[in-house]
Amino acid sequence: QLQVVIKAVAASKTRVNLYFRYARLVLTKFFFFPLFGRKLVLYIPVPATLITRLIVFFGRIFRRKGVTKVPVPFFEILYLDSELRVQRTGESNLFVQAKESWEAAQPLLL
């Protein structure tokens, strides 16, 4: 089982900034060996944040253009009502989410 802990902060009425905290990994087997009902819990810091900070730091040192500050992951809400949400990520990916109770969307939900 893998859980990624994220902090979401509203940056405006339509934008939400995301801060990745850590990943929590729960193992019931270790290298194919059972743990006899026990669970091994590992907390893993998110490496992307550290790597991004290092890239920005060295970019500043070597004066590379375009590297001025650490980018913040985000998504923008394009449409929102009681049954449907459309959002665009910072990488320009679009996501359309509908509630399972919305009968008109049932054929489209996986």
Side-chain angles (χ1 to χ4, degrees), residues 79-85 97-99 101-102:
Y79 179 80
L80 178 66
D81 68 10
S82 62
E83 297 176 334
L84 182 70
R85 177 173 69 193
Q97 298 169 318
K99 285 190 175 181
S101 60
W102 189 24

Side-chain angles (χ1 to χ4, degrees), residues 74-90:
F74 70 93
F75 67 85
E76 292 183 87
I77 299 186
L78 304 175
Y79 179 80
L80 178 66
D81 68 10
S82 62
E83 297 176 334
L84 182 70
R85 177 173 69 193
V86 180
Q87 64 191 37
R88 180 178 49 228
T89 67

